[in-house]
Amino acid sequence: MVEKIRQIKELLSSATASTPDEVEALRIKYLSKKGEISLLFNDFRTLSPEEKKAMGPAINELKDFATERINQLRVAVESVDVIDPSLDLTRTASPISLGSRHPLSIVRNEIISIFSRLGFTVAEGPEIEDDWHVFSALNFAADHPARDMQDTFFIQRNPDVLLRTHTSSVQSRVMEHSKPPIRIICPGRVYRNEAISARAHCFFHQVEALYVDKNVSFADLKQTLLYFAREMFGPNTDIRLRPSYFPFTEPSAEMDISCNLCGGKGCSFCKGTGWVEILGCGMVDPNVLDACGIDSKIYSGFALGMGVERITNLKYQVNDLRMFSENDRRFLEQFQAAH
């Protein structure tokens, strides 16, 4: 029994634990009712009176030693800071405010969603383009004002490389490499050399749509526009088409919607007319189809384009176009519940 006491004491002296569960396992092993020290007390009953006098104090001393040693291990384990691996100690102590989508992104995604329900798919292209895809393929005359340095940001001359002035360049790229039927929507950022003001900026965002197939008519265009207007601005929205001119469409039109503030009765927002202009559209000029490798005698199509800032202004009554790009949180936080 003396040897057994010595062995248990040595094992307890060298015992280690790194978790509360390991400390509890040591307690059960040595101090529980069926633990090794309790078994020593069972053996103690079989000893002679003389042996009991010698072994009794030794067993009690062992029990006290075991209790103290296990308590030491428990205190050591509990004093160790357990760091949650998901806790970022470099993060600021102040609450982190949640962000939200930018109002232009909200409206752009809504436009894409509406046209996707009509079977249009998203097409994208480079913002730095060549003259052919931005102008020549789209029936712009060589002396068209849009080619002037005052209207366009040119990066290189001969050959001309520029920041695209419209996302129509994506349409010309798709028509070059795809066969009809083509039904695409082209969202993206465009650039024009304009004075920055509450109504204009040197960069803005567009969404253009193109549909090319056999027997596409102006009636298809009108019904698409009516569907879009009522999905975007409400089921009671009316549209009006006015003759206009664009190099890449013929016939061409500007589309107005009934003012969504006064219901078409006339107010300061619509300048008393009851109508608000939102986009340009028309039937794709045969010259554009032919330039992009599509037989204009077999196929026809329509195209339309709108400024995302313009639609956002109408939807949320934002008076200053510059607010969209100034990163003013007071302005942006107004749209947290809009998506």
Side-chain angles (χ1 to χ4, degrees):
M1 183 172 287
V2 174
E3 181 62 22
K4 183 66 174 176
I5 292 174
R6 185 187 64 80
Q7 290 178 356
I8 293 175
K9 196 168 186 178
E10 287 181 355
L11 290 172
L12 283 169
S13 298
S14 60
T16 59
S18 57
T19 65
D21 289 340
E22 292 179 358
V23 175
E24 180 64 14
L26 287 172
R27 189 196 67 80
I28 293 172
K29 181 178 179 180
Y30 294 106
L31 295 174
S32 66
K33 290 182 179 181
K34 295 183 180 181
E36 295 189 17
I37 295 177
S38 297
L39 294 177
L40 287 176
F41 280 105
N42 293 336
D43 295 338
F44 177 78
R45 296 189 184 97
T46 64
L47 298 177
S48 64
E50 291 77 11
E51 290 175 326
K52 286 181 178 179
K53 289 181 181 180
M55 299 307 302
I59 295 175
N60 287 327
E61 181 186 355
L62 176 63
K63 183 178 180 181
D64 292 340
F65 175 79
T67 302
E68 182 180 356
R69 177 60 180 157
I70 290 172
N71 286 336
Q72 289 175 350
L73 292 173
R74 180 178 289 111
V75 171
V77 168
E78 291 176 351
S79 65
V80 175
D81 292 332
V82 179
I83 300 177
D84 184 349
S86 64
L87 178 63
D88 182 5
L89 297 179
T90 64
R91 193 181 74 177
T92 176
S94 57
I96 298 177
S97 58
L98 295 177
S100 62
R101 289 188 178 90
H102 192 279
L104 294 181
S105 297
I106 296 172
V107 173
R108 181 196 61 199
N109 292 341
E110 188 173 354
I111 295 171
I112 292 173
S113 176
I114 293 171
F115 278 94
S116 68
R117 298 197 286 272
L118 294 173
F120 286 78
T121 58
V122 174
E124 296 180 336
E127 295 182 7
I128 299 177
E129 265 288 10
D130 55 53
D131 176 273
W132 169 258
H133 292 100
V134 177
F135 296 129
S136 299
L138 297 172
N139 203 38
F140 280 79
D143 57 352
H144 193 280
R147 296 174 184 259
D148 194 284
M149 288 290 288
Q150 295 179 356
D151 295 323
T152 302
F153 289 107
F154 281 90
I155 297 173
Q156 172 184 305
R157 302 306 300 263
N158 300 318
D160 290 346
V161 177
L162 58 139
L163 299 179
R164 65 184 182 187
T165 60
H166 48 197
T167 57
S168 301
S169 57
V170 181
Q171 299 179 17
S172 59
R173 284 184 174 275
V174 171
M175 286 189 288
E176 278 183 340
H177 301 98
S178 304
K179 294 182 179 179
I182 298 171
R183 192 178 299 188
I184 59 170
I185 186 167
C186 313
R189 186 185 292 112
V190 298
Y191 305 85
R192 295 180 188 175
N193 188 14
E194 297 185 8
I196 298 174
S197 66
R199 299 177 60 86
H201 212 295
C202 61
F203 72 88
F204 56 98
H205 300 78
Q206 277 189 340
V207 175
E208 299 195 17
L210 172 71
Y211 177 37
V212 178
D213 201 353
K214 295 179 180 178
N215 303 316
V216 177
S217 68
F218 202 94
D220 299 316
L221 170 60
K222 181 179 178 182
Q223 193 61 33
T224 299
L225 294 172
L226 180 62
Y227 175 82
F228 165 74
R230 290 183 172 175
E231 287 293 303
M232 175 61 72
F233 298 103
N236 297 322
T237 304
D238 292 324
I239 66 171
R240 179 178 72 175
L241 297 174
R242 295 178 287 103
S244 186
Y245 167 76
F246 302 108
F248 36 84
T249 54
E250 179 60 37
S252 304
E254 299 276 0
M255 188 184 94
D256 305 329
I257 62 168
S258 54
C259 180
N260 57 337
L261 292 184
C262 64
K265 297 178 181 179
C267 65
S268 59
F269 186 76
C270 62
K271 299 179 181 179
T273 65
W275 298 95
V276 180
E277 177 187 331
I278 67 166
L279 59 82
C281 60
M283 301 301 295
V284 180
D285 193 296
N287 292 335
V288 174
L289 296 175
D290 292 333
C292 294
I294 296 175
D295 192 341
S296 61
K297 294 182 175 61
I298 300 175
Y299 297 101
S300 59
F302 67 72
L304 59 97
M306 67 195 83
V308 180
E309 282 86 346
R310 177 65 170 166
I311 304 298
T312 308
N313 282 344
L314 294 174
K315 195 171 181 66
Y316 298 121
Q317 284 84 56
V318 178
N319 296 323
D320 193 333
L321 198 70
R322 293 169 292 190
M323 296 295 294
F324 293 126
S325 56
E326 290 183 346
N327 298 322
D328 189 332
R329 289 182 58 182
R330 295 170 300 175
F331 169 74
L332 297 175
E333 286 172 353
Q334 299 177 57
F335 301 91
Q336 286 183 341
H339 62 89

